[in-house]
PDB file of all heavy atoms in Angstrom:
ATOM      1  N   VAL A  33     -19.317 -75.538  47.606  1.00  0.00           N
ATOM      2  CA  VAL A  33     -17.869 -75.632  47.456  1.00  0.00           C
ATOM      3  C   VAL A  33     -17.245 -76.321  48.659  1.00  0.00           C
ATOM      4  O   VAL A  33     -16.001 -76.499  48.623  1.00  0.00           O
ATOM      5  CB  VAL A  33     -17.288 -74.231  47.235  1.00  0.00           C
ATOM      6  CG1 VAL A  33     -17.833 -73.571  45.908  1.00  0.00           C
ATOM      7  CG2 VAL A  33     -17.442 -73.341  48.465  1.00  0.00           C
ATOM      8  N   GLY A  34     -17.942 -76.684  49.676  1.00  0.00           N
ATOM      9  CA  GLY A  34     -17.363 -77.298  50.831  1.00  0.00           C
ATOM     10  C   GLY A  34     -16.397 -76.278  51.505  1.00  0.00           C
ATOM     11  O   GLY A  34     -16.806 -75.117  51.785  1.00  0.00           O
ATOM     12  N   ARG A  35     -15.205 -76.756  51.824  1.00  0.00           N
ATOM     13  CA  ARG A  35     -14.172 -76.005  52.406  1.00  0.00           C
ATOM     14  C   ARG A  35     -13.223 -75.252  51.374  1.00  0.00           C
ATOM     15  O   ARG A  35     -12.260 -74.598  51.750  1.00  0.00           O
ATOM     16  CB  ARG A  35     -13.249 -76.783  53.461  1.00  0.00           C
ATOM     17  CG  ARG A  35     -14.147 -77.179  54.608  1.00  0.00           C
ATOM     18  CD  ARG A  35     -13.238 -78.043  55.600  1.00  0.00           C
ATOM     19  NE  ARG A  35     -12.170 -77.126  56.215  1.00  0.00           N
ATOM     20  CZ  ARG A  35     -10.870 -77.240  55.972  1.00  0.00           C
ATOM     21  NH1 ARG A  35     -10.451 -78.043  55.081  1.00  0.00           N
ATOM     22  NH2 ARG A  35     -10.109 -76.372  56.573  1.00  0.00           N
ATOM     23  N   ARG A  36     -13.559 -75.444  50.139  1.00  0.00           N
ATOM     24  CA  ARG A  36     -12.635 -75.102  49.029  1.00  0.00           C
ATOM     25  C   ARG A  36     -12.864 -73.590  48.783  1.00  0.00           C
ATOM     26  O   ARG A  36     -13.274 -73.183  47.628  1.00  0.00           O
ATOM     27  CB  ARG A  36     -12.819 -75.967  47.841  1.00  0.00           C
ATOM     28  CG  ARG A  36     -12.219 -77.283  48.056  1.00  0.00           C
ATOM     29  CD  ARG A  36     -12.518 -78.218  46.804  1.00  0.00           C
ATOM     30  NE  ARG A  36     -13.866 -78.437  46.650  1.00  0.00           N
ATOM     31  CZ  ARG A  36     -14.449 -79.040  45.512  1.00  0.00           C
ATOM     32  NH1 ARG A  36     -13.544 -79.478  44.592  1.00  0.00           N
ATOM     33  NH2 ARG A  36     -15.746 -79.119  45.480  1.00  0.00           N
ATOM     34  N   LEU A  37     -12.585 -72.862  49.754  1.00  0.00           N
ATOM     35  CA  LEU A  37     -12.739 -71.303  49.538  1.00  0.00           C
ATOM     36  C   LEU A  37     -11.705 -70.616  50.458  1.00  0.00           C
ATOM     37  O   LEU A  37     -11.133 -71.332  51.380  1.00  0.00           O
ATOM     38  CB  LEU A  37     -14.033 -70.787  49.894  1.00  0.00           C
ATOM     39  CG  LEU A  37     -14.516 -70.744  51.412  1.00  0.00           C
ATOM     40  CD1 LEU A  37     -15.770 -69.847  51.541  1.00  0.00           C
ATOM     41  CD2 LEU A  37     -14.842 -72.153  51.853  1.00  0.00           C
ATOM     42  N   SER A  38     -11.468 -69.423  50.299  1.00  0.00           N
ATOM     43  CA  SER A  38     -10.437 -68.647  51.222  1.00  0.00           C
ATOM     44  C   SER A  38     -11.231 -67.552  51.881  1.00  0.00           C
ATOM     45  O   SER A  38     -12.210 -67.031  51.316  1.00  0.00           O
ATOM     46  CB  SER A  38      -9.365 -68.111  50.333  1.00  0.00           C
ATOM     47  OG  SER A  38      -9.789 -67.409  49.229  1.00  0.00           O
ATOM     48  N   LEU A  39     -10.650 -67.157  53.052  1.00  0.00           N
ATOM     49  CA  LEU A  39     -11.287 -66.187  53.909  1.00  0.00           C
ATOM     50  C   LEU A  39     -10.285 -65.064  54.130  1.00  0.00           C
ATOM     51  O   LEU A  39      -9.141 -65.329  54.577  1.00  0.00           O
ATOM     52  CB  LEU A  39     -11.808 -66.707  55.200  1.00  0.00           C
ATOM     53  CG  LEU A  39     -12.852 -67.825  55.055  1.00  0.00           C
ATOM     54  CD1 LEU A  39     -13.213 -68.286  56.490  1.00  0.00           C
ATOM     55  CD2 LEU A  39     -14.091 -67.478  54.301  1.00  0.00           C
ATOM     56  N   VAL A  61     -13.969 -70.099  61.687  1.00  0.00           N
ATOM     57  CA  VAL A  61     -13.259 -69.645  60.542  1.00  0.00           C
ATOM     58  C   VAL A  61     -12.190 -70.739  60.073  1.00  0.00           C
ATOM     59  O   VAL A  61     -12.107 -71.065  58.884  1.00  0.00           O
ATOM     60  CB  VAL A  61     -12.575 -68.326  60.793  1.00  0.00           C
ATOM     61  CG1 VAL A  61     -11.564 -67.956  59.736  1.00  0.00           C
ATOM     62  CG2 VAL A  61     -13.671 -67.202  60.967  1.00  0.00           C
ATOM     63  N   ARG A  62     -11.449 -71.169  61.107  1.00  0.00           N
ATOM     64  CA  ARG A  62     -10.387 -72.141  60.773  1.00  0.00           C
ATOM     65  C   ARG A  62     -10.906 -73.421  60.206  1.00  0.00           C
ATOM     66  O   ARG A  62     -10.344 -74.049  59.314  1.00  0.00           O
ATOM     67  CB  ARG A  62      -9.524 -72.459  62.022  1.00  0.00           C
ATOM     68  CG  ARG A  62      -8.295 -73.328  61.792  1.00  0.00           C
ATOM     69  CD  ARG A  62      -7.498 -73.543  62.970  1.00  0.00           C
ATOM     70  NE  ARG A  62      -8.295 -74.115  64.102  1.00  0.00           N
ATOM     71  CZ  ARG A  62      -8.577 -73.461  65.189  1.00  0.00           C
ATOM     72  NH1 ARG A  62      -8.204 -72.167  65.452  1.00  0.00           N
ATOM     73  NH2 ARG A  62      -9.231 -74.086  66.170  1.00  0.00           N
ATOM     74  N   GLU A  63     -12.091 -73.896  60.742  1.00  0.00           N
ATOM     75  CA  GLU A  63     -12.676 -75.172  60.382  1.00  0.00           C
ATOM     76  C   GLU A  63     -13.413 -75.084  59.079  1.00  0.00           C
ATOM     77  O   GLU A  63     -13.696 -76.199  58.443  1.00  0.00           O
ATOM     78  CB  GLU A  63     -13.519 -75.730  61.419  1.00  0.00           C
ATOM     79  CG  GLU A  63     -12.689 -76.080  62.706  1.00  0.00           C
ATOM     80  CD  GLU A  63     -13.511 -76.507  63.803  1.00  0.00           C
ATOM     81  OE1 GLU A  63     -14.865 -76.391  63.750  1.00  0.00           O
ATOM     82  OE2 GLU A  63     -13.073 -76.905  64.921  1.00  0.00           O
ATOM     83  N   SER A  64     -13.728 -73.900  58.569  1.00  0.00           N
ATOM     84  CA  SER A  64     -14.720 -73.746  57.503  1.00  0.00           C
ATOM     85  C   SER A  64     -14.000 -73.467  56.090  1.00  0.00           C
ATOM     86  O   SER A  64     -14.681 -73.312  55.068  1.00  0.00           O
ATOM     87  CB  SER A  64     -15.657 -72.613  57.800  1.00  0.00           C
ATOM     88  OG  SER A  64     -16.418 -72.912  58.889  1.00  0.00           O
ATOM     89  N   SER A  65     -12.653 -73.278  56.080  1.00  0.00           N
ATOM     90  CA  SER A  65     -11.961 -72.798  54.953  1.00  0.00           C
ATOM     91  C   SER A  65     -10.637 -73.476  54.802  1.00  0.00           C
ATOM     92  O   SER A  65      -9.946 -73.795  55.777  1.00  0.00           O
ATOM     93  CB  SER A  65     -11.737 -71.248  55.025  1.00  0.00           C
ATOM     94  OG  SER A  65     -10.943 -70.788  53.996  1.00  0.00           O
ATOM     95  N   GLU A  66     -10.257 -73.714  53.534  1.00  0.00           N
ATOM     96  CA  GLU A  66      -8.919 -74.307  53.231  1.00  0.00           C
ATOM     97  C   GLU A  66      -7.787 -73.256  53.312  1.00  0.00           C
ATOM     98  O   GLU A  66      -6.650 -73.727  53.566  1.00  0.00           O
ATOM     99  CB  GLU A  66      -8.939 -74.909  51.884  1.00  0.00           C
ATOM    100  CG  GLU A  66      -9.769 -76.338  51.903  1.00  0.00           C
ATOM    101  CD  GLU A  66      -9.550 -77.004  50.561  1.00  0.00           C
ATOM    102  OE1 GLU A  66      -8.751 -76.635  49.737  1.00  0.00           O
ATOM    103  OE2 GLU A  66     -10.028 -78.171  50.456  1.00  0.00           O
ATOM    104  N   GLU A  67      -8.139 -71.953  53.267  1.00  0.00           N
ATOM    105  CA  GLU A  67      -7.013 -71.011  53.268  1.00  0.00           C
ATOM    106  C   GLU A  67      -7.545 -69.722  53.909  1.00  0.00           C
ATOM    107  O   GLU A  67      -8.604 -69.175  53.514  1.00  0.00           O
ATOM    108  CB  GLU A  67      -6.455 -70.695  51.883  1.00  0.00           C
ATOM    109  CG  GLU A  67      -5.297 -69.714  51.943  1.00  0.00           C
ATOM    110  CD  GLU A  67      -4.514 -69.694  50.701  1.00  0.00           C
ATOM    111  OE1 GLU A  67      -4.766 -70.497  49.753  1.00  0.00           O
ATOM    112  OE2 GLU A  67      -3.449 -68.982  50.654  1.00  0.00           O
ATOM    113  N   LEU A  68      -6.779 -69.259  54.879  1.00  0.00           N
ATOM    114  CA  LEU A  68      -7.069 -67.912  55.522  1.00  0.00           C
ATOM    115  C   LEU A  68      -6.003 -66.956  55.056  1.00  0.00           C
ATOM    116  O   LEU A  68      -4.762 -67.139  55.074  1.00  0.00           O
ATOM    117  CB  LEU A  68      -6.955 -67.996  57.066  1.00  0.00           C
ATOM    118  CG  LEU A  68      -7.874 -69.130  57.746  1.00  0.00           C
ATOM    119  CD1 LEU A  68      -7.679 -69.161  59.194  1.00  0.00           C
ATOM    120  CD2 LEU A  68      -9.308 -68.894  57.373  1.00  0.00           C
ATOM    121  N   ARG A 122      -0.366 -67.555  54.863  1.00  0.00           N
ATOM    122  CA  ARG A 122       0.488 -67.684  53.629  1.00  0.00           C
ATOM    123  C   ARG A 122       0.172 -66.660  52.639  1.00  0.00           C
ATOM    124  O   ARG A 122       1.083 -66.284  51.801  1.00  0.00           O
ATOM    125  CB  ARG A 122       0.281 -69.085  53.049  1.00  0.00           C
ATOM    126  CG  ARG A 122       0.660 -70.212  53.990  1.00  0.00           C
ATOM    127  CD  ARG A 122       0.463 -71.540  53.318  1.00  0.00           C
ATOM    128  NE  ARG A 122       1.481 -71.722  52.174  1.00  0.00           N
ATOM    129  CZ  ARG A 122       1.472 -72.875  51.523  1.00  0.00           C
ATOM    130  NH1 ARG A 122       0.720 -73.914  51.759  1.00  0.00           N
ATOM    131  NH2 ARG A 122       2.444 -72.921  50.529  1.00  0.00           N
ATOM    132  N   PRO A 226     -13.745 -75.345  42.295  1.00  0.00           N
ATOM    133  CA  PRO A 226     -13.340 -74.401  43.327  1.00  0.00           C
ATOM    134  C   PRO A 226     -11.915 -74.672  43.772  1.00  0.00           C
ATOM    135  O   PRO A 226     -11.463 -75.816  43.956  1.00  0.00           O
ATOM    136  CB  PRO A 226     -14.359 -74.553  44.467  1.00  0.00           C
ATOM    137  CG  PRO A 226     -14.948 -75.961  44.249  1.00  0.00           C
ATOM    138  CD  PRO A 226     -14.866 -76.102  42.799  1.00  0.00           C
ATOM    139  N   SER A 227     -11.115 -73.679  44.033  1.00  0.00           N
ATOM    140  CA  SER A 227      -9.716 -73.843  44.434  1.00  0.00           C
ATOM    141  C   SER A 227      -9.394 -72.680  45.431  1.00  0.00           C
ATOM    142  O   SER A 227     -10.290 -71.998  45.946  1.00  0.00           O
ATOM    143  CB  SER A 227      -8.774 -73.737  43.214  1.00  0.00           C
ATOM    144  OG  SER A 227      -7.455 -73.992  43.536  1.00  0.00           O
ATOM    145  N   THR A 228      -8.066 -72.564  45.809  1.00  0.00           N
ATOM    146  CA  THR A 228      -7.571 -71.561  46.664  1.00  0.00           C
ATOM    147  C   THR A 228      -6.421 -70.933  46.063  1.00  0.00           C
ATOM    148  O   THR A 228      -5.706 -71.536  45.157  1.00  0.00           O
ATOM    149  CB  THR A 228      -7.263 -72.139  48.102  1.00  0.00           C
ATOM    150  OG1 THR A 228      -6.195 -73.105  47.916  1.00  0.00           O
ATOM    151  CG2 THR A 228      -8.454 -72.819  48.686  1.00  0.00           C
ATOM    152  N   PRO A 229      -5.939 -69.832  46.557  1.00  0.00           N
ATOM    153  CA  PRO A 229      -4.726 -69.131  45.976  1.00  0.00           C
ATOM    154  C   PRO A 229      -3.483 -70.122  46.093  1.00  0.00           C
ATOM    155  O   PRO A 229      -2.769 -70.229  45.155  1.00  0.00           O
ATOM    156  CB  PRO A 229      -4.585 -67.849  46.826  1.00  0.00           C
ATOM    157  CG  PRO A 229      -6.003 -67.530  47.209  1.00  0.00           C
ATOM    158  CD  PRO A 229      -6.667 -68.844  47.459  1.00  0.00           C
ATOM    159  N   THR A 230      -3.252 -70.766  47.269  1.00  0.00           N
ATOM    160  CA  THR A 230      -2.147 -71.581  47.438  1.00  0.00           C
ATOM    161  C   THR A 230      -2.237 -72.721  46.396  1.00  0.00           C
ATOM    162  O   THR A 230      -1.259 -73.178  45.847  1.00  0.00           O
ATOM    163  CB  THR A 230      -2.044 -72.082  48.887  1.00  0.00           C
ATOM    164  OG1 THR A 230      -1.728 -71.038  49.758  1.00  0.00           O
ATOM    165  CG2 THR A 230      -1.049 -73.167  48.977  1.00  0.00           C
ATOM    166  N   ALA A 231      -3.423 -73.302  46.266  1.00  0.00           N
ATOM    167  CA  ALA A 231      -3.506 -74.475  45.381  1.00  0.00           C
ATOM    168  C   ALA A 231      -3.293 -74.135  43.922  1.00  0.00           C
ATOM    169  O   ALA A 231      -2.639 -74.855  43.230  1.00  0.00           O
ATOM    170  CB  ALA A 231      -4.951 -75.078  45.543  1.00  0.00           C
TER     171      ALA A 231
END
Side-chain angles (χ1 to χ4, degrees):
V33 301
R35 296 181 66 249
R36 290 176 295 172
L37 74 164
S38 52
L39 304 180
V61 166
R62 183 175 62 247
E63 295 175 352
S64 300
S65 170
E66 286 191 358
E67 181 162 3
L68 304 180
R122 298 182 67 177
S227 185
T228 64
T230 292

